[in-house]
Amino acid sequence: MLDSGNCWMVGRSDDSDFVITDRWISRNHAMLQAMDNGEMYLIDLGSRNGSFVNGRRVGIPVTLKNGDRLTFGQTELLFNSPRTAVTAPGNKPARELTATAALHVRRLISVLVVDIRDYTVLTRQMDEQVMSEMIGSWFRQAGEIIRNNGSWVDKYIGDAVMAVWIHGSQETASPKEIQPALQVVQELYEMTQALADSYPVPFPLRIGAGLNTGFAMVGNTGSGDRPDYTALGDTVNAAFRLESSTKQARLDVMMGSLTQQCANPNGEFSQFFQPKSVRLKGYDEPYSAYGCSFDELSNCLKMMDLEKPKSTSSLG
């Protein structure tokens, strides 16, 4: 029963949630992750022999449906989810689900969207097994990087991930609050480069990032000891559009104007952020944004680290 927690590991390792003694299964083979909207994703963790849903190999996180057949090595499991089962009018679901209340409040947040460039072309030019291992490893490491910097993967969207940081103030965010999101972008870039060096990719593996700060309706659909937040609204939509705009701007990272103001309140980092006016899909007017390359982002983060106050101690 997947009724406790929101993440379950599958593999031969003794510390897996599903320990499967199948020699064709990797120690850390795959992961099941429940999202805030009730959807369940299967994520292959770069396993050698792959994970399959209804006979098709998983290359990116996929949403599971009631009755799906999951294959790991030579082991097959059946996924049952009354949440997605279709029931006749008037019929009750096969299993009563624990009800949770979603309290939505207006909060200042930063939303990060990171996308793997030219993913479709990669799938056509790379061996399926190698591609699956590489992308599975990318998503696994991306999740770790995001968690290590104070956020969580809110959504998997094809070949992209979305993360959210909820700020303490209702008015603005400090550079210290924006820095973890910028740090995630830099670490994802470095991880992507290292991964590309480990696999026979037909062309350089690249990512693009959109970061936006603003107000959004934020809801906790989890329990008291395991909060599970999600965000809705224009701030989220603009983050996705900003990520797409990196292509037209020919930059690696694009951020909204409020993000730039919060990260750079005194203008000391202005040399790293290029002001841009971009056309975002669904927006009638040009959108004010700021962009930078990964090299500029790296230099900015180094300067931010130098700006941090150093701790002092006194001896009595």
Side-chain angles (χ1 to χ4, degrees), residues 183-236:
Q183 186 66 39
V184 164
V185 176
Q186 183 63 26
E187 291 184 25
L188 287 177
Y189 165 70
E190 292 171 357
M191 177 269 287
T192 302
Q193 298 309 297
L195 206 58
D197 291 340
S198 303
Y199 288 89
V201 291
F203 49 81
L205 193 61
R206 298 174 54 243
I207 60 172
L211 179 59
N212 195 36
T213 302
F215 290 95
M217 297 305 293
V218 178
N220 176 12
T221 58
S223 60
D225 61 338
R226 188 181 289 274
D228 194 359
Y229 292 100
T230 189
L232 304 168
D234 185 66
T235 297
V236 178

Side-chain angles (χ1 to χ4, degrees), residues 110-114 161-165 181 184-185 188 209-212 239:
S110 289
V111 182
L112 174 66
V113 177
V114 179
V161 293
M162 166 184 157
V164 176
W165 285 262
V184 164
V185 176
L188 287 177
L211 179 59
N212 195 36

Side-chain angles (χ1 to χ4, degrees), residues 147-303:
R147 286 191 295 273
N148 290 339
N149 284 279
S151 184
W152 70 99
V153 176
D154 185 273
K155 288 182 176 62
Y156 295 100
I157 314 95
D159 53 356
V161 293
M162 166 184 157
V164 176
W165 285 262
I166 301 174
H167 303 306
S169 169
Q170 289 297 314
E171 302 301 327
T172 188
S174 66
K176 184 179 179 181
E177 290 180 283
I178 301 297
Q179 187 173 357
L182 297 176
Q183 186 66 39
V184 164
V185 176
Q186 183 63 26
E187 291 184 25
L188 287 177
Y189 165 70
E190 292 171 357
M191 177 269 287
T192 302
Q193 298 309 297
L195 206 58
D197 291 340
S198 303
Y199 288 89
V201 291
F203 49 81
L205 193 61
R206 298 174 54 243
I207 60 172
L211 179 59
N212 195 36
T213 302
F215 290 95
M217 297 305 293
V218 178
N220 176 12
T221 58
S223 60
D225 61 338
R226 188 181 289 274
D228 194 359
Y229 292 100
T230 189
L232 304 168
D234 185 66
T235 297
V236 178
N237 297 336
F240 281 91
R241 303 306 187 213
L242 284 167
E243 186 280 318
S244 297
S245 75
T246 58
K247 300 166 187 174
Q248 60 173 285
R250 297 182 181 278
L251 291 168
D252 299 314
V253 184
M254 291 293 287
M255 63 183 71
S257 57
L258 182 56
T259 306
Q260 193 273 154
Q261 292 171 25
C262 292
N264 187 35
N266 301 316
E268 62 265 51
F269 309 125
S270 296
Q271 68 267 37
F272 303 115
F273 304 121
Q274 306 172 34
K276 294 287 182 179
S277 179
V278 293
R279 288 283 182 179
L280 303 187
K281 184 178 179 180
Y283 291 76
D284 295 331
E285 300 296 328
Y287 198 91
S288 296
Y290 290 79
C292 65
S293 66
F294 288 125
D295 286 341
E296 289 169 325
L297 177 61
S298 176
N299 291 330
C300 178
L301 287 167
K302 290 175 184 176
M303 195 168 178

